[in-house]
Amino acid sequence: GEGGRWRVAESHVRIEDGSTITGFHLVNGWAKERYLYFAARYSRPFESAQIISGGEAITYTSYVNYRFRSSKEVSGTNLQFLAKFKTSAGEGVMVKVAVSAVSSANALQNLDAEIPGWDFAKLRNATCTQWDRELSRLQIDGTTEQKETFYTSLYHALLAPNLYQDAERKSDIEQLNNYHALLAPNLYQDANGEYRGFDHDIHRAGGFTVYTVFSLWDTFRAEHPLLALIQERRDSDIINSLLAHYDQSADHLLPMWELQGNETWCMIGYHAVPVIVDGYLKGVKGFDAQHAYEAIKATAMNPDYDGLAAYRKLGWVPFDQEDESLSKTLEYAYDDFCIAQMAKALGKEADYDYFMKRAGSYRNIYDPSVGWMRPKDSNGTWRVPFNPHAFGGGTNLVDVTEGTSSQYSWYVPQDVPGLIALMGGREQFIEKLDSLFTSTEATKELAPDDQRGCIGEYWHGNEPSHHIIYLYSYVGQPWKAAQRLHQVVSTQYGNRPDSLCGNDDCGQMSAWYMFTCMGFYPVCPASDYYVIGAPQVPKAVMRLSNGKTFTVAADNISGDNIYVQSVRVNGKNWDSPFLPYRELKNGGTLDFTMGPQPGPWGTNPQRPE
């Protein structure tokens, strides 16, 4: 049936035998064409069963001699299945279910391949073993609450994107079965190697695992940079999955927000680009770099992509031609920076120059008269009226994506020194940044229990704010970053059901927390450095994909000792709040000394190269 924005366009249920049913539904809504087939098998035959279609029940009985009429299967748009059992006291009935995007036959194969028996305890233990292996990629010391929060965050980060398909090689099938235990119930692939592609044809992918559910506007920020460090094989598979989407796209586009083989056109930007480029620059192997570059460049040059033609011509997305123009201009500029970095690494100097010029497009929408980013139309005229503190940009305006200009104006991760200069220099930048956390302009109309995680106009519950606290490290005030990081970790994360503001957005909220606990954060994915903030746990050990370990230790840390006094990187005194990737990639140590008051550390930051 219909519910909210979902509509069941077609569904089917079939009773295969006295203990097995199969079926499927085709859902339309958000993603226009989502196929889900299933197979369910019960641990004992049912006494009777009903398929209910549009409120009319059709009952089947006499399974001992098992003679079905041709009507043992029903199609419709409003179906339910009900199995009935006679049980003695304490007797249980188990059911196991498998899914496929291809066919009911594949769902049955998945069922037999993944869970061949009925030993629930054995399956549970195997699942725990797999999760223990994955959760050991990051290990921390801390309180029980810190450990429960941290490992729940890691669990969240590993839940998406979901498996879509695995190659047909025997070794990969064995690994697939391990992943089945790890990622259930969010499977979306077949054990025989088949998957439904973006073109809705059935494909086989040789040599890599196909993933689905890419909430890229959220996850490019910290989730994928984390996977690039601790799960190189998975990150390679993700990149290959993005490229498969591009290859199957009639428009030759990378996905924006992919869901089960569909493009939802949700959110903005072309943020498959930083996922691919950050992985490439972090040494992730297993994908064709030249093909990847072709895909990211073709996407960025597509004239039909959400205002890109005007952006390329004018240097900004005009609000009279495109909604969310302010946010799109800023995010396109960052994505273009990423393309430039890969172009440079591949020796494509002309492309590097071109995309670096586009990366500076943020300057074109900064209005010095108001001190904020402001939408322009195609004639270069500023939006009037315009309120930088109003959600969306103002009444009935949709210039800003899920936020305000006062939040989005900070989104220039590719050139923070340039943004500082644009805002009038260090002192003016600091004053404006301070005001973001104390202003009530953007929150006065929100409900008291709003889930955006508001600290003034800093809203941690949505991703455009996630890098902002770390900007204090660029202007020599790392103690203010330490204060705000401690505040967010203490008030907006925890081990209770209501601890997390907003939703986890496919792992991004959790990835922010884990990086922050370890004391550094990828403010600008696809760059060669991280920004040092302030650690939140006494010790963290990151097991890198190459088998090396990177260990973070915070000496003297406590609820009062939240300020960094000194830092050593691989045994060297380190005064800069920037951690180069080269110091991390082969393993090593990041040692903090913490104290109750701000010290001189980080107050004269060296600009990252």
Side-chain angles (χ1 to χ4, degrees), residues 470 472-474 478 481 485 518-521 523 529-535 564 567 569 574-580 590 592 601:
Y470 286 91
Y472 278 118
S473 294
Y474 288 80
L485 293 172
M518 293 186 291
F520 61 99
Y521 186 77
V523 167
Y529 70 95
Y530 304 88
V531 179
I532 296 175
V564 177
V567 176
V569 176
W574 201 264
D575 295 328
S576 170
F578 304 107
L579 174 66
L590 174 61
F592 293 90
W601 178 83

Side-chain angles (χ1 to χ4, degrees), residues 157-335:
L158 296 177
L159 282 174
N162 305 153
L163 278 175
Y164 195 79
Q165 175 272 345
D166 198 87
E168 59 270 27
R169 299 177 306 184
K170 183 177 185 295
S171 62
D172 285 345
I173 293 295
E174 292 170 352
Q175 183 179 7
L176 170 66
N177 290 334
N178 290 339
Y179 272 122
H180 285 175
L182 174 65
L183 293 172
N186 294 309
L187 301 179
Y188 203 71
Q189 48 68 52
D190 293 337
N192 68 0
E194 293 183 337
Y195 74 100
R196 187 180 298 274
F198 179 60
D199 54 8
H200 296 292
D201 290 338
I202 307 306
H203 298 267
R204 287 179 182 267
F208 71 97
T209 302
V210 177
Y211 282 82
T212 187
V213 185
F214 290 107
S215 181
L216 293 167
W217 183 81
D218 306 295
T219 56
F220 83 86
R221 304 167 194 268
E223 161 78 358
H224 289 287
L226 179 66
L227 296 179
L229 293 177
I230 67 174
Q231 284 198 339
E232 179 185 353
R233 164 68 188 273
R234 189 180 184 203
D235 203 47
S236 176
D237 288 340
I238 287 168
I239 292 171
N240 278 311
S241 300
L242 299 173
L243 296 177
H245 181 108
Y246 167 80
D247 291 337
Q248 294 160 14
S249 165
D251 299 320
H252 296 295
L253 292 172
L254 288 163
M256 178 183 288
W257 209 124
E258 186 272 352
L259 177 64
Q260 298 177 359
N262 288 260
E263 176 60 83
T264 66
W265 299 112
C266 183
M267 309 313 296
I268 64 170
Y270 30 98
H271 296 317
V273 167
V275 174
I276 293 170
V277 177
D278 189 62
Y280 176 71
L281 296 178
K282 298 302 186 292
V284 173
K285 303 293 192 297
F287 66 96
D288 185 333
Q290 293 292 342
H291 182 50
Y293 183 77
E294 169 201 310
I296 64 177
K297 181 178 177 180
T299 301
M301 298 299 289
N302 190 296
D304 299 322
Y305 193 103
D306 283 10
L308 265 184
Y311 168 78
R312 287 165 54 187
K313 178 182 178 182
L314 300 171
W316 68 88
V317 178
F319 69 76
D320 55 332
Q321 296 185 24
E322 190 76 20
D323 284 342
E324 301 172 282
S325 63
L326 184 150
S327 300
K328 287 176 180 176
T329 300
L330 295 175
E331 295 198 12
Y332 290 167
Y334 162 70
D335 289 339

Side-chain angles (χ1 to χ4, degrees), residues 13 27 40 43 53 145 312 372 434:
V13 174
V27 176
S43 59
S53 177
E145 179 180 353
R312 287 165 54 187
W372 300 104
D434 287 344

Side-chain angles (χ1 to χ4, degrees), residues 35-65:
Y35 294 84
L36 184 65
Y37 296 84
F38 77 92
R41 182 169 291 134
Y42 296 84
S43 59
R44 49 163 283 192
F46 25 81
E47 304 296 331
S48 65
Q50 290 180 334
I51 299 178
I52 303 169
S53 177
E56 179 183 354
I58 306 171
T59 302
Y60 302 93
T61 56
S62 302
Y63 295 117
V64 175
N65 295 320

Side-chain angles (χ1 to χ4, degrees), residues 131 134-135 137-138 149-162 179 182-183 186 211-213 219 222-228 230-231 234-235 238 493 500 504-515 518:
W131 271 113
E134 297 304 316
L135 295 177
R137 295 177 186 271
L138 296 173
T149 304
F150 191 94
Y151 290 112
T152 299
S153 296
L154 183 53
Y155 171 79
H156 287 170
L158 296 177
L159 282 174
N162 305 153
Y179 272 122
L182 174 65
L183 293 172
N186 294 309
Y211 282 82
T212 187
V213 185
T219 56
E223 161 78 358
H224 289 287
L226 179 66
L227 296 179
I230 67 174
Q231 284 198 339
R234 189 180 184 203
D235 203 47
I238 287 168
Y493 291 89
L500 191 65
D504 200 65
D505 282 323
C506 294
Q508 170 57 29
M509 293 287 293
S510 289
W512 184 96
Y513 172 81
M514 289 183 285
F515 270 118
M518 293 186 291

Side-chain angles (χ1 to χ4, degrees), residues 324-591:
E324 301 172 282
S325 63
L326 184 150
S327 300
K328 287 176 180 176
T329 300
L330 295 175
E331 295 198 12
Y332 290 167
Y334 162 70
D335 289 339
D336 290 338
F337 164 84
C338 297
I339 298 173
Q341 304 317 297
M342 192 164 182
K344 184 177 182 180
L346 294 174
K348 301 178 185 295
E349 292 298 328
D351 280 3
Y352 171 78
D353 293 340
Y354 171 74
F355 283 105
M356 280 302 289
K357 181 179 179 180
R358 278 174 46 165
S361 298
Y362 71 91
R363 299 184 183 93
N364 298 328
I365 62 167
Y366 182 79
D367 182 358
S369 71
V370 297
W372 300 104
M373 301 293 176
R374 184 174 181 177
K376 276 182 178 178
D377 66 15
S378 51
N379 294 317
T381 303
W382 296 116
R383 164 76 84 178
V384 177
F386 178 68
N387 181 357
H389 306 285
F391 190 82
T395 304
N396 299 321
L397 304 182
V398 192
D399 294 324
V400 184
T401 304
E402 293 188 0
T404 67
S405 172
S406 59
Q407 295 158 355
Y408 244 103
S409 291
W410 308 99
Y411 195 72
V412 188
Q414 73 274 19
D415 186 15
V416 177
L419 180 63
I420 294 170
L422 202 63
M423 289 186 169
R426 178 179 180 274
E427 296 305 320
Q428 290 88 337
F429 185 89
I430 292 171
E431 181 180 357
K432 187 180 292 289
L433 189 55
D434 287 344
S435 71
L436 183 75
F437 295 92
T438 57
S439 173
T440 60
E441 284 297 312
T443 57
K444 58 187 178 183
E445 296 181 2
L446 300 180
D449 59 347
D450 187 87
Q451 294 299 301
R452 300 179 212 201
C454 300
I455 304 174
E457 292 188 36
Y458 174 91
W459 296 353
H460 191 74
N462 210 10
E463 280 65 26
S465 289
H466 276 192
H467 71 293
I468 293 177
I469 293 175
Y470 286 91
L471 298 181
Y472 278 118
S473 294
Y474 288 80
V475 289
Q477 293 194 340
W479 69 88
K480 288 183 179 177
Q483 290 172 343
R484 294 302 181 186
L485 293 172
H486 180 74
Q487 180 182 7
V488 172
V489 168
S490 299
T491 62
Q492 302 196 28
Y493 291 89
N495 59 350
R496 302 181 310 277
D498 63 347
S499 292
L500 191 65
C501 62
N503 67 67
D504 200 65
D505 282 323
C506 294
Q508 170 57 29
M509 293 287 293
S510 289
W512 184 96
Y513 172 81
M514 289 183 285
F515 270 118
T516 294
C517 283
M518 293 186 291
F520 61 99
Y521 186 77
V523 167
C524 185
S527 69
D528 60 356
Y529 70 95
Y530 304 88
V531 179
I532 296 175
Q536 305 297 310
V537 295
K539 184 178 180 181
V541 179
M542 176 185 293
R543 182 160 58 88
L544 303 173
S545 298
N546 60 11
K548 306 290 186 179
T549 58
F550 188 75
T551 301
V552 178
D555 183 50
N556 205 36
I557 192 172
S558 70
D560 294 323
N561 296 342
I562 66 172
Y563 298 102
V564 177
Q565 307 297 300
S566 64
V567 176
R568 292 175 65 84
V569 176
N570 295 324
K572 300 172 289 188
N573 288 330
W574 201 264
D575 295 328
S576 170
F578 304 107
L579 174 66
Y581 171 65
R582 65 177 179 270
E583 298 288 345
L584 182 156
K585 66 179 182 179
N586 294 317
T589 57
L590 174 61
D591 295 306

